Amino acid sequence: MEKRLAPVKKIPELYPGAFTESSIRWLIFNAEHNGFAICVRRIGAKILLDLDLFEFWIDAQKDKGI
């Protein structure tokens, strides 16, 4: 199965109205505290998000009442 990876700037296009680039960057900055680290892939200075794990993370938030 091929990984679906996307750069941070692409997320608002893929999930319109749900996330801004700034909100994604905030989640990445706080990734160790909010569980978002599972989604983040760093390749040198480039930050990509694993879209399958990103969607899993989103679904997991409903269980936390967020």
Side-chain angles (χ1 to χ4, degrees), residues 25-60:
R25 292 193 184 283
W26 185 90
L27 289 168
I28 292 168
F29 184 79
N30 294 286
E32 296 302 321
H33 302 289
N34 59 22
F36 200 70
I38 65 165
C39 312
V40 179
R41 301 293 174 264
R42 296 179 196 277
I43 302 171
K46 187 123 185 122
I47 298 175
L48 301 171
L49 296 183
D50 181 315
L51 296 178
D52 293 324
L53 291 174
F54 178 59
E55 291 169 3
F56 173 81
W57 181 86
I58 291 170
D59 288 342

